[in-house]
Amino acid sequence: MSSAAITTANTVNPSTDNSHQPQQKQTAKEVIAANVQALIEQLEQGHSEGLTAYLTAMGRFHNYSFGNILEIARQKPDATRVAGLYAWNQLKRRVKKGEHGIRILAPVIGIKRKKDEEAEKDIRTQNHGVLVGFRSAYVFDVSQTDGEDLPELSTKVSGDVGERRERLIDFVMAQGIQLEFKESIAPALGASYGGKIVLLPGQSTAEEFSTLVHELSHEMLHKADRRTATTKIVRETEAEAIAFVVGKTIGLDTGRASADYIHLYHGNAALLTESLEVIQRTSALILSALETPTAEAVQEAEPELAQAS
């Protein structure tokens, strides 16, 4: 069973009460705004657990939209694999009695009909689907289900990046970024020079991997206009948050360093709102590069980076 089958949200309403969840009449933008505001309020009170849960969810559900990742992280911060009732049934698992579904927003696709005279010109464009809005759908985490064991979606590692190190390096090279190792950058672990990344030799594999993701994030995001429009704290926070998301997703022990950078968001609501989508997009691209052939990953990266820059 592929990972897509596990993480595809089926739009099946649960029979359980979901009154504790947001009202279904909210628009997608309103849901995002409400969730971001909740994160801001937590941070202003000195609590970063919600943000940490969201960054973790970015990696676990990187095929989901920005708004739905926020929804999953808010409603069930410890979720690891989610699917709708039908998908779990197909996997021979059943949702436990009394469990509440995780509300997400599913797109509603309508049919835009062409005028008869226009349709006759090209049969391929007679009718085509268009996004007309969103509706509530519900998914459940694997912990809310019982049944047959699931196949492992990927090999989890603890402090060992395995073949992902080579895939990450291939991705860096495929984007035309040079990679060098130099003692002279000490005590820095890594540095980004716009088209070139330099790493300090002698790091553990996990440290080197995390450092490379951090510097790659600078290369992908912090050039040209975005570099001049952001402060050093913003750039460092974004890069370290991306390293946290990617490292956490593949099973690395992220240690205290990432948590310290996450706390930089405290008291800075504007930074949080501005950066979250950028962090999500970039993390998703890097994670995709670790899962797919490099050439395919680079093709996916080019249009996405244009939007993120």
Side-chain angles (χ1 to χ4, degrees):
M1 182 65 63
S2 68
S3 60
I6 298 293
T7 57
T8 296
N10 288 268
T11 57
V12 181
N13 289 335
S15 57
T16 53
D17 177 26
N18 288 280
S19 58
H20 64 288
Q21 295 168 347
Q23 294 298 313
Q24 296 185 11
K25 292 183 179 180
Q26 285 182 299
T27 66
K29 287 184 178 180
E30 288 170 342
V31 169
I32 290 173
N35 281 314
V36 170
Q37 184 59 38
L39 283 176
I40 290 170
E41 290 173 0
Q42 291 176 23
L43 292 170
E44 289 176 342
Q45 294 170 12
H47 302 293
S48 64
E49 295 86 354
L51 179 57
T52 302
Y54 174 64
L55 293 177
T56 301
M58 277 188 188
R60 289 175 177 167
F61 309 110
H62 59 274
N63 292 323
Y64 276 71
S65 69
F66 174 62
N68 280 336
I69 292 174
L70 281 168
E71 282 286 84
I72 294 170
R74 180 185 63 80
Q75 296 172 59
K76 194 166 182 59
D78 59 348
T80 57
R81 304 179 188 180
V82 300
L85 287 172
Y86 178 77
W88 284 129
N89 292 343
Q90 291 295 104
L91 292 166
K92 298 182 179 180
R93 295 186 68 86
R94 297 291 183 270
V95 174
K96 300 174 186 176
K97 185 177 180 179
E99 291 288 347
H100 292 285
I102 303 167
R103 176 187 180 272
I104 63 172
L105 295 178
V108 176
I109 306 299
I111 301 298
K112 184 175 182 180
R113 301 187 182 280
K114 295 274 188 176
K115 293 181 180 179
D116 291 342
E117 58 270 23
E118 294 180 4
E120 290 175 359
K121 296 177 183 177
D122 188 349
I123 191 172
R124 295 171 299 177
T125 62
Q126 284 185 354
N127 300 305
H128 63 277
V130 294
L131 178 65
V132 296
F134 295 87
R135 66 187 178 92
S136 294
Y138 295 88
V139 294
F140 297 86
D141 183 55
V142 63
S143 64
Q144 298 175 286
T145 67
D146 285 321
E148 293 189 6
D149 291 340
L150 294 173
E152 286 298 319
L153 302 185
S154 60
T155 303
K156 293 294 182 181
V157 294
S158 178
D160 178 12
V161 301
E163 64 182 10
R164 294 180 180 87
R165 178 184 184 275
E166 297 305 318
R167 290 183 183 179
L168 181 61
I169 291 175
D170 287 345
F171 184 60
V172 169
M173 298 297 191
Q175 294 185 84
I177 301 171
Q178 298 178 39
L179 179 60
E180 299 178 2
F181 293 82
K182 289 184 178 180
E183 295 276 2
S184 58
I185 67 168
L189 299 179
S192 168
Y193 296 100
K196 182 172 74 173
I197 293 173
V198 178
L199 299 180
L200 181 70
Q203 300 180 61
S204 69
T205 305
E207 287 175 332
E208 179 191 272
F209 183 90
S210 183
T211 302
L212 183 53
V213 172
H214 179 111
E215 301 305 335
L216 174 60
S217 300
H218 283 311
E219 290 288 323
M220 295 170 75
L221 293 177
H222 303 140
K223 299 180 290 186
D225 293 342
R226 185 163 180 79
R227 182 172 183 83
T228 58
T230 54
T231 66
K232 180 176 176 61
I233 289 179
V234 170
R235 296 192 295 272
E236 289 300 318
T237 303
E238 289 176 346
E240 194 61 20
I242 292 165
F244 173 89
V245 171
V246 175
K248 186 83 170 177
T249 302
I250 69 168
L252 293 182
D253 180 357
T254 56
R256 287 296 306 165
S258 295
D260 291 341
Y261 273 103
I262 290 170
H263 279 293
L264 289 176
Y265 281 114
H266 175 57
N268 194 333
L271 171 60
L272 175 64
T273 305
E274 175 187 337
S275 296
L276 281 177
E277 288 196 63
V278 169
I279 293 167
Q280 183 214 346
R281 285 197 299 265
T282 309
S283 300
L285 289 173
I286 295 174
L287 286 167
S288 295
L290 301 180
E291 299 170 352
T292 60
T294 300
E296 182 180 332
V298 171
Q299 290 177 356
E300 294 175 358
E302 290 175 353
E304 291 286 348
L305 290 180
Q307 296 176 28
S309 298

